Amino acid sequence: MNAHARAVAPMFKSYACFLADAADPRSVGGKAYSLGEMSRLGFPVPPGFVLSDDAFQEFLDHNDFRRAIKTMCENLDPACTDRLRQTSQAVRALIRSGKIPVGIRDEIALWRARVLPGATLIVRSSAVGEDSGEASFAGQLDSFLNIDSSEELEQALLSCWSSYWSERSLFYQLARRVQLRGMGVVIQQMVRSRISGVLFTQPPARSAKDDDRLVVEYCCGYGEALVSGRVNPGRFTISRTDLTWKRETSPDQPCDPKDEALLFGNDLIARLAETGMKLEKQFRGAQDIEWTVDESGQLFIVQSRPITASATLGSQSPSGRPLVIWSNANVNENFPEPISPLLYSIASAGYYHYFRNLGAGFGIARRRLWAMEHQLRNIIGVHFGRMYYNLSNIHWALRSVPFGELWVDDFNNFVGTKKTGEPSDAGRKRRERRRGRPAEWLELCFMALKTLKQYLSLSKGVETFERIVSEYSERTRPERLQERSLNDLLTDFRGFLEIRFHRWNHAALADAASMVSYGMLKRFINREFPESDEASLHNTLLKGLRDVVSSVPALKIWELSRRVQEDPALKFLFRTKESAAIASALYENEEFSEFRRELSDFVEHWGFRISGELMLTVPSFQENPIDLLDLIKGYIEVEGASPAEVIRRQDADRAAKTAEILSILSKRKWLTLVPFVSKAQIARTLLRWTHRSIALRERARLKQALLYSRCRRIALVIGERMVTLGYLTNRDDVFFLTYQDLDQLLSGGAMFPDQTRELAAMRKREHARFSTLSPPDTVEITAGVYLPMPNGSPVERDEQRNSLGSAKLAGTSACGGQTTGRATILRDISESRRLKPGDVLVARQTDPGWGPLFFLIRGLVLERGGMLSHGAIIAREFGIPSLVGVENATERIPQGKTVCVDGDNGLVTIVD
């Protein structure tokens, strides 16, 4: 704006200001503030002025519209699209019927005459809350082009104000739970655009975090058609390093060659790229920049906003419906294969009760729990038969409580995902807004006291859970089930559901305690030792915990293998026969009676602890001991230290490292005003809490495996009875009914009992089809939409390993140290016979059933899992250098290749 125009600017009522003076986003809105900031910094922004939110509020008061609008908009639901559309139309018609106050009309006329005399105008909405780091409202509000007369300007102004209640804007606010707080209007000189577009300073894709390209989309003429989605644009990319560009697609509506020459025929691309990178630096984050070029080849920037739509929870699909992030991180550890309808029905209700009861246990206010009801009832879902967490709902629920962002971080660490639905800076802003609210702090204090009480009684609570499961498992011993009536079996099945839904909270609290204490320990150690050579120093302090029950099966199998080695006949049998033949010989030959007794004792007390122990469809060692004999054969080949000795060594190493850390921290005071409390005391407390909670969590998980094994056996006997009654073809078909189906059918309340056989058969066919698919670990898809079948047909699992893409693969360290060994890739524990002592195990995920294999291996590489996954915990027990989260490790590491696992730096290297 030149000095003369500024000098003659109106000096009375301040409804408007120069674009370059639009410095308060609360008054002028996000778009005007961004344009003003760019104008002040010298970026090429078309000249203009801004009508502030004061004018909008004055207009509403002058016409007495507020009460009527509030009544129209009460109890809107984003899912009720018809009412949303009708409400929008009614409110917008009301606004357009209003009268602009004389003072506002006169001031607009004066500003236009003195600042933009004779210019054709563009009138643009600029809402308060638009283009923020939390919400962009891109395309939700209206702009109006080619405005010439005063009448056109007034109508455009009314239409801009009415777009505050556009159907798109109302849906966006309701679906994303954000709210506009006012409306400014930008009135600028209209650029005679020949070619326009959008520049993304970061590729708008979640997988492109390391991509150094700028992405540009363009179309001929004005960019409004592109932004609104009415045309398919052309696209090209620009390298940040040397500004070279590459065209990818041309626009659907071909441009005049003269227009494209403006863009591709001179230095405009370089200017566009440099301007985009300067804006990114100035606004401290990736930008979505709208630009246009006039007939002379002059570049103008008409908008710049933070990129939110591709990187945040609640972003929208082209249909306008919210997107959901699904992840099978951690949940795949428990459910590695397609799940049955019976299991899904149990898990779906179980996760709801798990999180809701956990929230109540932590003292979360009842009103907050009711507000989370929808999210809690939809914690999990299924794609191609695989179970997924609904991260969008989980993160939303966690963020609904005080200091929710920390809960999100701990949860992500716990399950082993980096996906988060909301940028951390937005989370910080939310926390800042909460500071100073007495009610929030009072609630937080109550939660802290309730949590402390729960934690102090955690050991007793886990003991209670163990007792409940033990009593139930004793009542439902498999050998007694055949004697029970169908009604008794239904009662037993309901007993399982009662425990799973309503008596699980002590186990859930152990999960939460391990998650929170581990997160606190990690943050504390990383803060105190930021320059440590060990990237996972906190994990080193958790090695060799001797009271973790997950390592016991390995100790017991070792003892059985020593019995074999000590007995020449047993040793000859195990070394010369297949496992099936060994089983027959053990149960037919009386000379092996003592070993058979010891083996039976192991199966009785530990035989339910298997890979896939929660799947219901997987038989345990108690049903099929052949795989157990394969494990014993592997142990026989191992010489040297026993698992107990290995754990003792790790325990000693951990104790020495802990003493070293505590010695350093003892010289650091916690608070200056509290000199008698050192940071060593804080560390000692956190370590004690973390050790204890991990041990308690593993104890609860052991009983969980026992409980699910009993449910499986009850279901199978029910299946046998249903075959006799003609409801099923095979007893295993019972797993293709839901628990609701079973309860209604066996209680006499089923609506279509004669269709049960066909229903189970149909579900079984689909389940078999899902088993041939390999869905992605993370899915981002529109709410209420499901993944389509690839190319209309199943995709077979790739049994051949893909060619090596890189000699080095990165992951997250779960246990420090370095080792080198032969890579053995296993899909599940049934392939364990291929594992040789000293190998590096490479797998998609592990669960507690894999525990006995850990004593045989030298290193561990997993595609999935978090720091508190069972694979990570057991690896630390034995001090095995381990990585989790190594993307596509089972595909990228060739079978049999020598690999080096660097647990200190989170790298695995293929040596040859």
Side-chain angles (χ1 to χ4, degrees):
M1 183 63 58
N2 59 44
H4 172 71
R6 191 176 293 275
V8 298
M11 302 298 293
F12 52 91
K13 176 68 176 178
S14 181
Y15 284 122
C17 67
F18 290 103
L19 188 57
D21 292 336
D24 184 358
R26 294 169 299 179
S27 174
V28 299
K31 183 182 296 179
Y33 171 76
S34 174
L35 290 167
E37 182 73 4
M38 290 189 289
S39 182
R40 290 188 290 276
L41 293 169
F43 288 96
V45 176
F49 62 95
V50 181
L51 196 63
S52 72
D53 180 56
D54 289 341
F56 181 49
Q57 303 304 328
E58 175 68 19
F59 167 78
L60 294 175
D61 290 336
H62 178 78
N63 290 277
D64 195 21
F65 282 159
R66 295 186 190 276
R67 184 179 301 175
I69 293 172
K70 181 179 179 181
T71 300
M72 292 180 192
C73 294
E74 280 181 343
N75 301 319
L76 283 179
D77 185 338
C80 297
T81 56
D82 287 343
R83 181 168 179 240
L84 205 65
R85 180 171 57 256
Q86 292 166 3
T87 300
S88 172
Q89 290 171 349
V91 176
R92 297 192 73 174
L94 181 68
I95 296 297
R96 287 193 292 266
S97 71
K99 302 297 183 183
I100 299 175
V102 173
I104 297 175
R105 183 188 297 116
D106 290 346
E107 188 167 352
I108 292 172
L110 184 56
W111 274 92
R112 181 186 183 188
R114 299 301 177 90
V115 178
L116 299 170
T120 298
L121 307 178
I122 178 171
V123 180
R124 311 173 68 190
S125 304
S126 177
V128 179
E130 179 186 13
D131 291 350
S132 68
E134 296 179 59
S136 74
F137 284 84
Q140 312 305 314
L141 307 170
D142 291 341
S143 297
F144 299 90
L145 313 172
N146 298 313
I147 304 300
D148 289 313
S149 69
S150 298
E151 292 77 11
E152 288 175 336
L153 179 54
E154 289 187 14
Q155 287 304 311
L157 176 60
L158 290 171
S159 295
C160 272
W161 282 339
S162 76
S163 72
Y164 190 87
W165 291 277
S166 73
E167 183 181 353
R168 293 164 297 171
S169 175
L170 287 175
F171 178 88
Y172 192 83
Q173 293 179 72
L174 292 167
R176 292 217 40 192
R177 300 178 181 89
V178 295
Q179 188 171 2
L180 295 175
R181 298 179 295 279
M183 173 75 88
V185 176
V186 179
I187 301 171
Q188 286 177 284
Q189 179 178 318
M190 181 78 185
V191 177
R192 296 299 178 184
S193 302
R194 298 295 299 275
I195 197 160
S196 305
V198 179
L199 180 147
F200 298 94
T201 63
Q202 175 180 302
R206 293 179 181 273
S207 61
K209 61 181 180 179
D210 299 321
D211 199 327
D212 74 338
R213 300 172 302 158
L214 307 173
V215 177
V216 184
E217 294 182 341
Y218 70 96
C219 68
C220 294
Y222 300 111
E224 197 68 23
L226 186 154
V227 175
S228 64
R230 295 197 302 270
V231 299
N232 289 324
R235 183 179 293 108
F236 62 93
T237 59
I238 310 172
S239 169
R240 284 175 172 268
T241 53
D242 59 11
L243 302 185
T244 57
W245 57 273
K246 179 182 178 182
R247 194 193 305 240
E248 294 185 350
T249 61
S250 296
D252 282 356
Q253 299 178 4
C255 294
D256 188 311
K258 294 179 181 179
D259 293 336
E260 285 206 336
L262 289 173
L263 181 59
F264 296 108
N266 53 30
D267 66 344
L268 183 61
I269 288 180
R271 280 190 284 142
L272 182 60
E274 290 167 355
T275 300
M277 289 187 285
K278 287 178 182 177
L279 284 168
E280 180 182 61
K281 182 178 180 181
Q282 182 63 40
F283 292 128
R284 297 182 177 87
Q287 296 291 299
D288 165 357
I289 301 163
E290 293 180 33
W291 54 269
T292 192
V293 178
D294 69 9
E295 294 176 338
S296 67
Q298 166 127 17
L299 172 68
F300 290 95
I301 303 300
V302 295
Q303 192 162 350
S304 183
R305 64 172 71 91
I307 292 180
T308 61
S310 67
T312 63
L313 173 66
S315 58
Q316 292 181 299
S317 67
S319 67
R321 299 167 68 185
L323 295 175
V324 175
I325 304 171
W326 298 95
S327 172
N328 63 11
N330 181 257
V331 76
N332 56 53
E333 180 181 302
N334 296 332
F335 311 106
E337 298 297 332
I339 60 174
S340 66
L342 180 60
L343 177 59
Y344 182 49
S345 67
I346 293 169
S348 182
Y351 274 103
Y352 162 72
H353 290 293
Y354 176 103
F355 280 99
R356 201 179 200 288
N357 293 337
L358 188 61
F362 279 139
I364 295 175
R366 186 183 297 273
R367 61 181 174 80
R368 291 192 187 275
L369 290 174
W370 277 115
M372 301 176 195
E373 186 72 9
H374 171 76
Q375 284 74 23
L376 294 176
R377 286 193 180 277
N378 295 277
I379 288 290
I380 62 168
V382 173
H383 293 282
F384 293 152
R386 269 73 170 187
M387 193 183 299
Y388 285 78
Y389 279 133
N390 185 324
L391 286 187
S392 301
N393 281 349
I394 292 175
H395 289 164
W396 189 97
L398 292 174
R399 286 191 175 102
S400 298
V401 301
F403 293 93
E405 202 70 28
L406 294 178
W407 287 87
V408 169
D409 291 342
D410 287 344
F411 179 82
N412 286 351
N413 261 320
F414 181 70
V415 303
T417 182
K418 297 178 182 178
K419 287 288 183 184
T420 183
E422 183 174 313
S424 59
D425 60 339
R428 285 194 295 270
K429 290 176 184 176
R430 181 178 287 106
R431 293 199 301 274
E432 288 169 4
R433 289 197 296 270
R434 285 176 172 169
R435 291 190 183 116
R437 296 183 183 178
E440 292 277 355
W441 282 104
L442 185 63
E443 183 179 355
L444 185 63
C445 291
F446 175 76
M447 288 176 58
L449 291 173
K450 189 79 176 284
T451 301
L452 180 62
K453 179 182 177 181
Q454 295 281 8
Y455 189 81
L456 291 175
S457 61
L458 187 59
S459 295
K460 185 177 293 185
V462 171
E463 289 172 3
T464 299
F465 177 75
E466 290 175 317
R467 184 179 67 256
I468 290 170
V469 176
S470 294
E471 291 173 355
Y472 176 82
S473 64
E474 185 61 31
R475 292 196 307 271
T476 57
R477 293 180 66 86
E479 61 270 21
R480 299 175 181 170
L481 295 178
Q482 293 293 346
E483 303 169 0
R484 297 179 66 76
S485 69
L486 194 54
N487 283 337
D488 290 338
L489 290 170
L490 179 58
T491 299
D492 292 337
F493 184 69
R494 288 171 174 167
F496 165 81
L497 297 177
E498 171 66 21
I499 296 173
R500 184 65 188 87
F501 296 166
H502 304 298
R503 309 188 71 181
W504 203 267
N505 212 33
H506 294 305
L509 287 166
D511 277 343
S514 61
M515 178 185 80
V516 174
S517 58
Y518 178 89
M520 293 171 63
L521 176 66
K522 178 181 178 181
R523 281 190 285 270
F524 180 83
I525 294 297
N526 288 349
R527 185 172 63 247
E528 293 300 319
F529 299 94
E531 305 300 326
S532 172
D533 292 335
E534 296 183 57
S536 57
L537 179 59
H538 55 288
N539 285 331
T540 301
L541 303 179
L542 300 176
K543 291 167 61 174
L545 303 180
R546 298 175 68 177
D547 57 348
V548 176
V549 72
S550 303
S551 59
V552 173
L555 306 180
K556 297 294 184 181
I557 293 175
W558 172 264
E559 292 173 1
L560 290 171
S561 72
R562 296 312 95 179
R563 298 288 184 273
V564 173
Q565 280 202 337
E566 293 164 4
D567 186 317
L570 278 173
K571 190 173 182 179
F572 177 80
L573 178 65
F574 272 81
R575 290 200 166 177
T576 60
K577 301 293 184 180
E578 294 295 325
S579 293
I582 295 172
S584 298
L586 289 176
Y587 287 91
E588 292 172 0
N589 196 325
E590 194 58 33
E591 70 173 304
F592 301 137
S593 60
E594 180 63 23
F595 180 79
R596 184 169 66 241
R597 184 189 62 77
E598 294 181 14
L599 183 65
S600 297
D601 186 68
F602 175 89
V603 170
E604 166 70 19
H605 292 95
W606 301 98
F608 54 84
R609 178 120 271 199
I610 58 165
S611 176
E613 60 195 16
L614 306 184
M615 290 290 292
L616 294 184
T617 50
V618 178
S620 68
F621 291 148
Q622 293 176 338
E623 299 171 72
N624 179 17
I626 299 299
D627 289 338
L628 173 60
L629 298 177
D630 285 336
L631 283 174
I632 295 173
K633 291 178 73 172
Y635 271 57
I636 292 171
E637 303 301 319
V638 179
E639 301 292 343
S642 68
E645 179 59 29
V646 171
I647 292 176
R648 278 194 293 270
R649 290 175 187 172
Q650 296 303 320
D651 183 38
D653 291 345
R654 175 181 56 81
K657 190 66 175 180
T658 301
E660 177 188 337
I661 294 298
L662 294 178
S663 176
I664 295 171
L665 293 176
S666 65
K667 301 170 185 176
R668 303 178 186 177
K669 302 306 177 186
W670 177 45
L671 295 173
T672 305
L673 298 179
V674 190
F676 50 84
V677 178
S678 71
K679 289 186 176 180
Q681 292 169 286
I682 304 299
R684 192 177 288 110
T685 300
L686 290 175
L687 282 168
R688 184 170 63 251
W689 286 357
T690 308
H691 292 175
R692 176 169 168 255
S693 60
I694 289 175
L696 290 172
R697 174 179 178 250
E698 292 304 296
R699 280 170 50 184
R701 178 62 193 266
L702 177 69
K703 290 300 183 182
Q704 179 184 15
L706 174 60
L707 185 67
Y708 271 71
S709 73
R710 290 294 195 257
C711 178
R712 168 180 162 80
R713 301 298 284 275
I714 293 168
L716 286 173
V717 177
I718 290 175
E720 291 175 0
R721 306 290 174 84
M722 293 179 73
V723 170
T724 303
L725 293 171
Y727 289 128
L728 297 175
T729 303
N730 303 293
R731 69 168 190 167
D732 286 6
D733 292 350
V734 71
F735 298 119
F736 296 95
L737 303 176
T738 66
Y739 82 80
Q740 296 95 334
D741 292 335
L742 283 176
D743 197 291
Q744 290 178 351
L745 185 67
L746 300 182
S747 300
M751 188 172 182
F752 302 107
D754 294 338
Q755 304 302 315
T756 302
R757 184 198 298 261
E758 289 77 7
L759 177 65
M762 179 273 291
R763 290 173 175 174
K764 190 173 184 179
R765 287 193 302 272
E766 288 300 297
H767 188 272
R769 190 165 65 129
F770 288 154
S771 298
T772 67
L773 301 173
S774 296
D777 293 337
T778 301
V779 177
E780 184 174 340
I781 198 166
T782 304
V785 175
Y786 299 85
L787 287 177
M789 290 292 287
N791 299 320
S793 60
V795 176
E796 297 294 333
R797 292 183 180 274
D798 184 6
E799 299 296 337
Q800 302 298 320
R801 304 298 165 188
N802 294 336
S803 59
L804 182 63
S806 172
K808 288 184 181 292
L809 287 73
T812 301
S813 175
C815 185
Q818 298 182 351
T819 191
T820 300
R822 183 183 74 117
T824 295
I825 301 161
L826 301 183
R827 290 183 303 177
D828 55 60
I829 198 172
S830 66
E831 300 178 337
S832 63
R833 62 181 64 86
R834 295 199 285 110
L835 191 71
K836 303 298 181 185
D839 282 355
V840 171
L841 172 60
V842 182
R844 296 201 76 190
Q845 74 279 318
T846 60
D847 60 28
W850 292 64
L853 296 186
F854 282 47
F855 181 63
L856 300 176
I857 63 176
R858 183 175 294 170
L860 178 67
V861 178
L862 298 177
E863 291 183 357
R864 303 161 165 172
M867 295 299 96
L868 291 178
S869 63
H870 298 283
I873 290 172
I874 301 172
R876 288 194 289 268
E877 290 306 290
F878 293 110
I880 301 167
S882 304
L883 303 181
V884 297
V886 182
E887 187 174 357
N888 297 323
T890 59
E891 301 294 328
R892 298 167 66 189
I893 298 176
Q895 181 78 260
K897 285 285 187 179
T898 301
V899 296
C900 176
V901 180
D902 183 351
D904 295 327
N905 296 300
L907 292 173
V908 56
T909 304
I910 292 89
V911 178
D912 61 12

